[in-house]
Amino acid sequence: MSDLKEQTCEACSADAPQVTEDEKAELLKSIPDWEVVELDGEEQLRRVFKFRNFVQAQAFTNKVADLAEAENHHPAILLEWGKTTVRWWTHKIGGLHKNDFVMAARTDDAYQNMQ
């Protein structure tokens, strides 16, 4: 599989398929620091990013927001002192699509570029 963060997000409609269990297992290999969680009956990708202070966490939150806006694919972001929690899932399909894994990989890349 090519580098996940370099892949393109696809336009997603309400009838787009969620990733299969096999696809999910394969895609998770590219983003090992993320976990699959279920909230309100929907699977989501979640990762907590740690920082030295609020300002760094806020700067990262803004980077993730910019990535999201560029793809018109928006996560849940929780900004706290010294950490940012990001959750990706596809609202239209009520679960995980390949786009979520692509965006998680891009989020990881943004974090690495801040270190």
PDB file of all heavy atoms in Angstrom, residues 20-38:
ATOM      1  N   THR A  20     -14.340  -2.861   5.537  1.00  0.00           N
ATOM      2  CA  THR A  20     -14.573  -4.200   6.067  1.00  0.00           C
ATOM      3  C   THR A  20     -13.605  -4.442   7.221  1.00  0.00           C
ATOM      4  O   THR A  20     -12.645  -3.678   7.415  1.00  0.00           O
ATOM      5  CB  THR A  20     -14.337  -5.264   4.983  1.00  0.00           C
ATOM      6  OG1 THR A  20     -12.947  -5.237   4.624  1.00  0.00           O
ATOM      7  CG2 THR A  20     -15.211  -5.016   3.750  1.00  0.00           C
ATOM      8  N   GLU A  21     -13.810  -5.506   7.960  1.00  0.00           N
ATOM      9  CA  GLU A  21     -12.900  -5.860   9.059  1.00  0.00           C
ATOM     10  C   GLU A  21     -11.488  -6.084   8.530  1.00  0.00           C
ATOM     11  O   GLU A  21     -10.515  -5.649   9.149  1.00  0.00           O
ATOM     12  CB  GLU A  21     -13.408  -7.087   9.806  1.00  0.00           C
ATOM     13  CG  GLU A  21     -14.642  -6.826  10.639  1.00  0.00           C
ATOM     14  CD  GLU A  21     -14.447  -5.758  11.713  1.00  0.00           C
ATOM     15  OE1 GLU A  21     -13.400  -5.774  12.406  1.00  0.00           O
ATOM     16  OE2 GLU A  21     -15.338  -4.915  11.876  1.00  0.00           O
ATOM     17  N   ASP A  22     -11.351  -6.745   7.379  1.00  0.00           N
ATOM     18  CA  ASP A  22     -10.028  -6.992   6.789  1.00  0.00           C
ATOM     19  C   ASP A  22      -9.368  -5.687   6.360  1.00  0.00           C
ATOM     20  O   ASP A  22      -8.175  -5.475   6.606  1.00  0.00           O
ATOM     21  CB  ASP A  22     -10.129  -7.941   5.588  1.00  0.00           C
ATOM     22  CG  ASP A  22     -10.435  -9.372   6.009  1.00  0.00           C
ATOM     23  OD1 ASP A  22     -10.241  -9.717   7.199  1.00  0.00           O
ATOM     24  OD2 ASP A  22     -10.860 -10.156   5.126  1.00  0.00           O
ATOM     25  N   GLU A  23     -10.129  -4.811   5.716  1.00  0.00           N
ATOM     26  CA  GLU A  23      -9.583  -3.511   5.307  1.00  0.00           C
ATOM     27  C   GLU A  23      -9.157  -2.699   6.525  1.00  0.00           C
ATOM     28  O   GLU A  23      -8.092  -2.081   6.523  1.00  0.00           O
ATOM     29  CB  GLU A  23     -10.630  -2.723   4.505  1.00  0.00           C
ATOM     30  CG  GLU A  23     -10.926  -3.291   3.138  1.00  0.00           C
ATOM     31  CD  GLU A  23     -12.138  -2.659   2.477  1.00  0.00           C
ATOM     32  OE1 GLU A  23     -13.078  -2.213   3.193  1.00  0.00           O
ATOM     33  OE2 GLU A  23     -12.149  -2.609   1.231  1.00  0.00           O
ATOM     34  N   LYS A  24      -9.991  -2.711   7.556  1.00  0.00           N
ATOM     35  CA  LYS A  24      -9.679  -1.964   8.774  1.00  0.00           C
ATOM     36  C   LYS A  24      -8.374  -2.466   9.390  1.00  0.00           C
ATOM     37  O   LYS A  24      -7.506  -1.669   9.749  1.00  0.00           O
ATOM     38  CB  LYS A  24     -10.827  -2.105   9.770  1.00  0.00           C
ATOM     39  CG  LYS A  24     -10.656  -1.275  11.003  1.00  0.00           C
ATOM     40  CD  LYS A  24     -11.770  -1.393  12.035  1.00  0.00           C
ATOM     41  CE  LYS A  24     -12.934  -2.219  11.668  1.00  0.00           C
ATOM     42  NZ  LYS A  24     -13.873  -2.483  12.755  1.00  0.00           N
ATOM     43  N   ALA A  25      -8.222  -3.777   9.489  1.00  0.00           N
ATOM     44  CA  ALA A  25      -7.003  -4.350  10.069  1.00  0.00           C
ATOM     45  C   ALA A  25      -5.773  -3.953   9.259  1.00  0.00           C
ATOM     46  O   ALA A  25      -4.727  -3.605   9.830  1.00  0.00           O
ATOM     47  CB  ALA A  25      -7.122  -5.871  10.147  1.00  0.00           C
ATOM     48  N   GLU A  26      -5.892  -3.961   7.950  1.00  0.00           N
ATOM     49  CA  GLU A  26      -4.765  -3.593   7.085  1.00  0.00           C
ATOM     50  C   GLU A  26      -4.449  -2.097   7.199  1.00  0.00           C
ATOM     51  O   GLU A  26      -3.287  -1.709   7.317  1.00  0.00           O
ATOM     52  CB  GLU A  26      -5.080  -3.968   5.633  1.00  0.00           C
ATOM     53  CG  GLU A  26      -3.913  -3.844   4.690  1.00  0.00           C
ATOM     54  CD  GLU A  26      -2.737  -4.752   5.029  1.00  0.00           C
ATOM     55  OE1 GLU A  26      -2.935  -5.852   5.565  1.00  0.00           O
ATOM     56  OE2 GLU A  26      -1.589  -4.327   4.756  1.00  0.00           O
ATOM     57  N   LEU A  27      -5.466  -1.258   7.190  1.00  0.00           N
ATOM     58  CA  LEU A  27      -5.263   0.187   7.278  1.00  0.00           C
ATOM     59  C   LEU A  27      -4.696   0.599   8.631  1.00  0.00           C
ATOM     60  O   LEU A  27      -3.877   1.517   8.711  1.00  0.00           O
ATOM     61  CB  LEU A  27      -6.581   0.921   7.004  1.00  0.00           C
ATOM     62  CG  LEU A  27      -7.069   0.873   5.553  1.00  0.00           C
ATOM     63  CD1 LEU A  27      -8.534   1.264   5.463  1.00  0.00           C
ATOM     64  CD2 LEU A  27      -6.215   1.765   4.667  1.00  0.00           C
ATOM     65  N   LEU A  28      -5.101  -0.073   9.693  1.00  0.00           N
ATOM     66  CA  LEU A  28      -4.599   0.259  11.034  1.00  0.00           C
ATOM     67  C   LEU A  28      -3.088   0.030  11.156  1.00  0.00           C
ATOM     68  O   LEU A  28      -2.441   0.677  11.986  1.00  0.00           O
ATOM     69  CB  LEU A  28      -5.342  -0.541  12.099  1.00  0.00           C
ATOM     70  CG  LEU A  28      -6.726  -0.001  12.466  1.00  0.00           C
ATOM     71  CD1 LEU A  28      -7.490  -1.012  13.312  1.00  0.00           C
ATOM     72  CD2 LEU A  28      -6.617   1.336  13.176  1.00  0.00           C
ATOM     73  N   LYS A  29      -2.532  -0.834  10.334  1.00  0.00           N
ATOM     74  CA  LYS A  29      -1.077  -1.062  10.356  1.00  0.00           C
ATOM     75  C   LYS A  29      -0.323   0.219  10.008  1.00  0.00           C
ATOM     76  O   LYS A  29       0.801   0.421  10.453  1.00  0.00           O
ATOM     77  CB  LYS A  29      -0.690  -2.176   9.382  1.00  0.00           C
ATOM     78  CG  LYS A  29      -1.170  -3.543   9.802  1.00  0.00           C
ATOM     79  CD  LYS A  29      -0.808  -4.574   8.753  1.00  0.00           C
ATOM     80  CE  LYS A  29      -1.385  -5.939   9.093  1.00  0.00           C
ATOM     81  NZ  LYS A  29      -1.111  -6.916   8.021  1.00  0.00           N
ATOM     82  N   SER A  30      -0.945   1.078   9.210  1.00  0.00           N
ATOM     83  CA  SER A  30      -0.295   2.333   8.796  1.00  0.00           C
ATOM     84  C   SER A  30      -0.437   3.439   9.838  1.00  0.00           C
ATOM     85  O   SER A  30       0.253   4.454   9.748  1.00  0.00           O
ATOM     86  CB  SER A  30      -0.892   2.822   7.476  1.00  0.00           C
ATOM     87  OG  SER A  30      -0.625   1.896   6.449  1.00  0.00           O
ATOM     88  N   ILE A  31      -1.345   3.253  10.785  1.00  0.00           N
ATOM     89  CA  ILE A  31      -1.565   4.276  11.829  1.00  0.00           C
ATOM     90  C   ILE A  31      -1.626   3.577  13.198  1.00  0.00           C
ATOM     91  O   ILE A  31      -2.663   3.600  13.873  1.00  0.00           O
ATOM     92  CB  ILE A  31      -2.841   5.106  11.545  1.00  0.00           C
ATOM     93  CG1 ILE A  31      -4.063   4.207  11.330  1.00  0.00           C
ATOM     94  CG2 ILE A  31      -2.635   6.043  10.369  1.00  0.00           C
ATOM     95  CD1 ILE A  31      -5.383   4.935  11.363  1.00  0.00           C
ATOM     96  N   PRO A  32      -0.529   2.979  13.629  1.00  0.00           N
ATOM     97  CA  PRO A  32      -0.546   2.127  14.818  1.00  0.00           C
ATOM     98  C   PRO A  32      -0.861   2.843  16.134  1.00  0.00           C
ATOM     99  O   PRO A  32      -1.240   2.178  17.111  1.00  0.00           O
ATOM    100  CB  PRO A  32       0.865   1.535  14.849  1.00  0.00           C
ATOM    101  CG  PRO A  32       1.712   2.509  14.098  1.00  0.00           C
ATOM    102  CD  PRO A  32       0.810   3.070  13.037  1.00  0.00           C
ATOM    103  N   ASP A  33      -0.748   4.155  16.189  1.00  0.00           N
ATOM    104  CA  ASP A  33      -1.018   4.876  17.430  1.00  0.00           C
ATOM    105  C   ASP A  33      -2.496   5.233  17.614  1.00  0.00           C
ATOM    106  O   ASP A  33      -2.880   5.802  18.633  1.00  0.00           O
ATOM    107  CB  ASP A  33      -0.169   6.144  17.505  1.00  0.00           C
ATOM    108  CG  ASP A  33       1.315   5.820  17.551  1.00  0.00           C
ATOM    109  OD1 ASP A  33       1.687   4.852  18.229  1.00  0.00           O
ATOM    110  OD2 ASP A  33       2.091   6.531  16.885  1.00  0.00           O
ATOM    111  N   TRP A  34      -3.303   4.895  16.635  1.00  0.00           N
ATOM    112  CA  TRP A  34      -4.742   5.174  16.701  1.00  0.00           C
ATOM    113  C   TRP A  34      -5.465   3.946  17.224  1.00  0.00           C
ATOM    114  O   TRP A  34      -5.034   2.815  17.020  1.00  0.00           O
ATOM    115  CB  TRP A  34      -5.277   5.541  15.325  1.00  0.00           C
ATOM    116  CG  TRP A  34      -4.780   6.873  14.852  1.00  0.00           C
ATOM    117  CD1 TRP A  34      -3.550   7.150  14.326  1.00  0.00           C
ATOM    118  CD2 TRP A  34      -5.476   8.109  14.880  1.00  0.00           C
ATOM    119  NE1 TRP A  34      -3.449   8.479  14.027  1.00  0.00           N
ATOM    120  CE2 TRP A  34      -4.617   9.087  14.349  1.00  0.00           C
ATOM    121  CE3 TRP A  34      -6.755   8.472  15.287  1.00  0.00           C
ATOM    122  CZ2 TRP A  34      -4.997  10.420  14.234  1.00  0.00           C
ATOM    123  CZ3 TRP A  34      -7.135   9.798  15.154  1.00  0.00           C
ATOM    124  CH2 TRP A  34      -6.261  10.766  14.637  1.00  0.00           C
ATOM    125  N   GLU A  35      -6.590   4.197  17.886  1.00  0.00           N
ATOM    126  CA  GLU A  35      -7.429   3.093  18.346  1.00  0.00           C
ATOM    127  C   GLU A  35      -8.821   3.241  17.741  1.00  0.00           C
ATOM    128  O   GLU A  35      -9.258   4.353  17.436  1.00  0.00           O
ATOM    129  CB  GLU A  35      -7.508   3.053  19.869  1.00  0.00           C
ATOM    130  CG  GLU A  35      -8.144   4.281  20.482  1.00  0.00           C
ATOM    131  CD  GLU A  35      -8.215   4.225  22.002  1.00  0.00           C
ATOM    132  OE1 GLU A  35      -8.256   3.124  22.573  1.00  0.00           O
ATOM    133  OE2 GLU A  35      -8.227   5.297  22.611  1.00  0.00           O
ATOM    134  N   VAL A  36      -9.471   2.107  17.560  1.00  0.00           N
ATOM    135  CA  VAL A  36     -10.856   2.117  17.106  1.00  0.00           C
ATOM    136  C   VAL A  36     -11.726   2.099  18.359  1.00  0.00           C
ATOM    137  O   VAL A  36     -11.552   1.243  19.227  1.00  0.00           O
ATOM    138  CB  VAL A  36     -11.166   0.900  16.210  1.00  0.00           C
ATOM    139  CG1 VAL A  36     -12.647   0.877  15.838  1.00  0.00           C
ATOM    140  CG2 VAL A  36     -10.299   0.918  14.960  1.00  0.00           C
ATOM    141  N   VAL A  37     -12.607   3.071  18.456  1.00  0.00           N
ATOM    142  CA  VAL A  37     -13.537   3.156  19.579  1.00  0.00           C
ATOM    143  C   VAL A  37     -14.956   3.195  19.019  1.00  0.00           C
ATOM    144  O   VAL A  37     -15.158   3.565  17.857  1.00  0.00           O
ATOM    145  CB  VAL A  37     -13.277   4.398  20.462  1.00  0.00           C
ATOM    146  CG1 VAL A  37     -11.903   4.336  21.107  1.00  0.00           C
ATOM    147  CG2 VAL A  37     -13.435   5.692  19.670  1.00  0.00           C
ATOM    148  N   GLU A  38     -15.914   2.821  19.827  1.00  0.00           N
ATOM    149  CA  GLU A  38     -17.300   2.930  19.415  1.00  0.00           C
ATOM    150  C   GLU A  38     -18.011   3.929  20.322  1.00  0.00           C
ATOM    151  O   GLU A  38     -17.983   3.783  21.547  1.00  0.00           O
ATOM    152  CB  GLU A  38     -17.998   1.574  19.492  1.00  0.00           C
ATOM    153  CG  GLU A  38     -19.383   1.618  18.896  1.00  0.00           C
ATOM    154  CD  GLU A  38     -20.034   0.256  18.785  1.00  0.00           C
ATOM    155  OE1 GLU A  38     -19.365  -0.687  18.335  1.00  0.00           O
ATOM    156  OE2 GLU A  38     -21.224   0.160  19.163  1.00  0.00           O
TER     157      GLU A  38
END
